[in-house]
Each structure stands twice: as structure tokens, then as C-alpha cells.
């Protein structure tokens, strides 16, 4: 069994690098004329990036037969939740100034916020149940059914981004294309036997 502890440390450090760079840009005031929009867009983008990377683990594992790749899926998924939490916190703290009663009215006026919040709340139970203890408590099959909600979170996340962009939709459409490829792989893979040596696994995030 491959020892992935060093690789996980590398992933942890690299997963935090975007946050460090973002904070450094904020400190140096290199965030454009609208800092709130810059931080909001950046954290949202990072959420989608880590979601898609976590969803890419299973196809890559099946194609290459490198089973130990699945060990990184939990951390990638938790990074997606982490940046999603920062994305939501940025909105609540710096757009609404923690004035929670104003949020429902804002959601009605800007439906893309409702879509984004739904995506986040789909990710919440996945983060809570990402530990080995929760896998054992729920049972493998129930846990896997629950964690398929990551597909809905990813779809809503891409839709949220598309609705947010007012003119140039090339980047949201790129995310939509990549997500379609990843979900399409899963759809077609159901009709074929798993490659030799690739056994199903029960590991948090991105089945």
C-alpha cells in the first residue's frame, strides 16, 4: 500500500497557497477597484476548481488503475467546502455586514444567490460526514448515496457562476463543459465492468 502522507502534505500546502496569495493581494491593495467583487469571485472560483478536481479523481483512477489516488479525494472535497465557506462568509460579512434579516430580500432580488446557497448547503452534510467514523456510522451504501449530492452541488455551483456573469460567459461555460465530461464519464462507466485491479471504494467525496 503506497504511503501518501508526504503527497497529502504537498496537497495541503498547495491548497492553501491560493488563500495566502489572495490575502497578500488584499494586503497590498492589488484587488482592483472593487475588492469585494474580487474576493467573492476568487473564492467562488476556487470552490469550483476544487470541486471539479475532486470529481476528476474517480475517472482518473479508473483510467489509470492507480487506486491510491482515491486517498486525495477527501482533502480535495474539504478544500472545496473550505473555499465555499469563505465565499459565503465574504457575502454575509462584507455585502450584508452580518445583517441577516436583509439576506432573504436580497436572495429574492438576485436569484443567483439562492442557487449558490443551495449548492453550499448541499456540501455541508458532505463535509460533516467526511470522516472515517461517519462512514462507519452511516454504512457504506448510505454514505455513498448521501455523497452523490456532490454532483448537485457542482451543477448548482456552475449555474450560480453562469447567472452571476453578466456578459462574458466563456469561463462559466468552460466549467460547465468540464463538469459535463466528468459526469458523462460516470454515466457511461455504469454500463461497463471496472478495469482489473480497480475495486470500488468508500472514501469521502466525489463518488
Amino acid at each position: 500500500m503506497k504511503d501518501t502522507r508526504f503527497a497529502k502534505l504537498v496537497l495541503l500546502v498547495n491548497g492553501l497557497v491560493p488563500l495566502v496569495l489572495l490575502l497578500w493581494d488584499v494586503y497590498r491593495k492589488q484587488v482592483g477597484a472593487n475588492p469585494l467583487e474580487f474576493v467573492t469571485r476568487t473564492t467562488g472560483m476556487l470552490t469550483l476548481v476544487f470541486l471539479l478536481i475532486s470529481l476528476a479523481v474517480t475517472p482518473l483512477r479508473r483510467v489509470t488503475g492507480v487506486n491510491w489516488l482515491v486517498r486525495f479525494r477527501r482533502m480535495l472535497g474539504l478544500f472545496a467546502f473550505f473555499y465555499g465557506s469563505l465565499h459565503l462568509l465574504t457575502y454575509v460579512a462584507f455585502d450584508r455586514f452580518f445583517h441577516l434579516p436583509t439576506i432573504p430580500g436580497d436572495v429574492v432580488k438576485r436569484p443567483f444567490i439562492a442557487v449558490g446557497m443551495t449548492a453550499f448547503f448541499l456540501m455541508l452534510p458532505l463535509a460533516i460526514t467526511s470522516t472515517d467514523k461517519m462512514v462507519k456510522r452511516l454504512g457504506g451504501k448510505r454514505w455513498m448515496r448521501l455523497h452523490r449530492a456532490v454532483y448537485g452541488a457542482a451543477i448548482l455551483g456552475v449555474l450560480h457562476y453562469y447567472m452571476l456573469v453578466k456578459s462574458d460567459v466563456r469561463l462559466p461555460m468552460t466549467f460547465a463543459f468540464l463538469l459535463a465530461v466528468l459526469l458523462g464519464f460516470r454515466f457511461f462507466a455504469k454500463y461497463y465492468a471496472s478495469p482489473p485491479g480497480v475495486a470500488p471504494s468508500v472514501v469521502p467525496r466525489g463518488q
Side-chain angles (χ1 to χ4, degrees), residues 112-152:
F112 69 87
I113 296 177
V115 174
M117 285 186 173
T118 303
F120 174 79
F121 286 117
L122 281 176
M123 294 170 61
L124 183 59
L126 308 187
I128 293 173
T129 60
S130 65
T131 64
D132 292 336
K133 285 186 178 180
M134 288 303 298
V135 175
K136 293 178 181 178
R137 182 174 298 180
L138 290 172
K141 290 184 178 180
R142 289 176 59 194
W143 182 91
M144 290 179 69
R145 285 197 297 267
L146 172 63
H147 277 250
R148 289 194 182 103
V150 70
Y151 307 147

Side-chain angles (χ1 to χ4, degrees), residues 11-21 50 79 82-83:
L11 175 59
L12 176 64
V13 171
N14 281 276
L16 293 173
V17 166
L19 176 61
V20 173
L21 294 176
F50 278 103
F79 266 123
F82 171 68
Y83 283 110

Side-chain angles (χ1 to χ4, degrees), residues 70-168:
V70 77
R71 297 186 182 184
F72 302 107
R73 199 166 54 193
R74 179 194 323 222
M75 187 177 293
L76 289 166
L78 289 175
F79 266 123
F81 178 74
F82 171 68
Y83 283 110
S85 300
L86 292 181
H87 183 64
L88 179 60
L89 181 61
T90 300
Y91 166 74
V92 173
F94 301 108
D95 191 311
R96 298 292 95 193
F97 300 102
F98 292 106
H99 193 197
L100 301 185
T102 66
I103 293 179
D106 195 39
V107 169
V108 171
K109 288 190 296 183
R110 299 192 287 176
F112 69 87
I113 296 177
V115 174
M117 285 186 173
T118 303
F120 174 79
F121 286 117
L122 281 176
M123 294 170 61
L124 183 59
L126 308 187
I128 293 173
T129 60
S130 65
T131 64
D132 292 336
K133 285 186 178 180
M134 288 303 298
V135 175
K136 293 178 181 178
R137 182 174 298 180
L138 290 172
K141 290 184 178 180
R142 289 176 59 194
W143 182 91
M144 290 179 69
R145 285 197 297 267
L146 172 63
H147 277 250
R148 289 194 182 103
V150 70
Y151 307 147
I155 292 170
L156 291 176
V158 171
L159 179 60
H160 167 71
Y161 188 22
Y162 178 83
M163 294 171 67
L164 173 64
V165 174
K166 297 177 181 177
S167 54
D168 189 351

